Amino acid sequence: MGRFFALIAAVAGGVAAPPANQQSALAAAMDIMAKSNTPPPPPREHTVLKVGLKEFEVSVIAGIEKELESKIPKSASPEVVAGWRNATEAMVKKEYENATAPIKHLVAESWMKLKDDKRDQFAEMISAKYAEIYNKSLPQFVRRVGVPAQFERTFSSMEHFNSSLAHSIASPTTTLVKQMKDYTDLIYYGNIFLQSRKALSLIAVILPDVE
């Protein structure tokens, strides 16, 4: 570094030009300093794919709560009713989000593997198909909750309530996730049918969020 500043001083003070090898070293040092002051490129905008997963979760919770309102014993206190509603939201949220986590990853990974000119079409087709699946699935969730005949036992304790609710939403959740996976694979392979496959390493690749 001392040598570098000596060269700068020599040039500034009108001293005779240094040898060619020193001039090269000086030019290289100045180039490094210039590059070090170059601001980093702006961060890439993170992609979020909106396919209605969150909205459907909200619809399922609202539909189940509405169905259960007519089944709650009239003798139940407001505090107990609030507890059942909170339990419903927590149970559906947990089961639904656990079940759809692989779907989120599948959609994001499939989108990432496609060429740029195929990605928008893929996202639009997924969103449209999922909307159809949601419309057909919501009544199944609500209907299953209304199946238990002995609602007095269902509401007799929070333990019975959670057990009954978990059992009721298990089947429609499984069906929903299977349909989403099947159609995601179908749409993905339909988009790559005419394009040449190219290897893509997903290491250090930031997948888009799926909601």
Side-chain angles (χ1 to χ4, degrees):
M1 185 60 72
R3 179 183 172 189
F4 167 72
F5 284 114
L7 292 171
I8 294 292
V11 174
V15 180
N21 62 337
Q22 291 184 352
Q23 291 181 357
S24 298
L26 175 60
M30 294 183 70
D31 184 59
I32 292 174
M33 290 186 66
K35 289 181 178 179
S36 66
N37 293 326
T38 302
R44 295 176 59 186
E45 183 178 349
H46 192 64
T47 302
V48 178
L49 304 180
K50 298 284 188 179
V51 296
L53 284 169
K54 192 64 179 177
E55 290 80 1
F56 184 64
E57 177 186 323
V58 173
S59 297
V60 169
I61 292 173
I64 290 176
E65 287 183 345
K66 183 177 180 180
E67 178 68 18
L68 291 176
E69 281 180 2
S70 61
K71 309 294 191 302
I72 295 176
K74 295 181 180 180
S75 59
S77 66
E79 292 78 13
V80 172
V81 173
W84 284 325
R85 284 180 177 151
N86 291 336
T88 298
E89 182 174 353
M91 174 68 70
V92 174
K93 184 179 180 66
K94 174 186 175 183
E95 298 297 326
Y96 178 82
E97 293 186 359
N98 285 343
T100 56
I103 296 298
K104 289 183 177 183
H105 184 79
L106 175 62
V107 172
E109 187 177 37
S110 299
W111 182 90
M112 200 72 206
K113 289 179 179 179
L114 290 170
K115 290 183 178 180
D116 290 346
D117 61 348
K118 295 285 186 179
R119 290 177 174 176
D120 286 347
Q121 180 182 7
F122 172 79
E124 291 171 2
M125 294 176 70
I126 287 289
S127 182
K129 192 60 193 181
Y130 279 16
E132 295 179 13
I133 295 174
Y134 298 148
N135 289 335
K136 294 179 180 179
S137 299
L138 183 56
Q140 300 298 324
F141 279 91
V142 175
R143 189 177 302 116
R144 288 285 299 181
V145 171
V147 167
Q150 299 180 351
F151 279 99
E152 290 184 4
R153 184 175 186 277
T154 298
F155 290 100
S156 62
S157 71
M158 193 59 68
E159 180 180 358
H160 287 148
F161 179 79
N162 285 333
S163 176
S164 176
L165 182 60
H167 179 74
S168 296
I169 65 177
S171 178
T173 299
T174 299
T175 302
L176 171 74
V177 170
K178 184 180 185 306
Q179 290 179 341
M180 294 168 77
K181 180 185 183 305
D182 289 346
Y183 277 106
T184 300
D185 287 339
L186 182 65
I187 292 171
Y188 168 69
Y189 286 111
N191 273 276
I192 68 170
F193 182 73
L194 297 177
Q195 76 176 39
S196 60
R197 294 291 305 276
K198 63 179 180 179
L200 172 66
S201 172
L202 294 178
I203 299 177
V205 172
I206 300 177
L207 296 177
D209 290 334
V210 179
E211 299 178 351

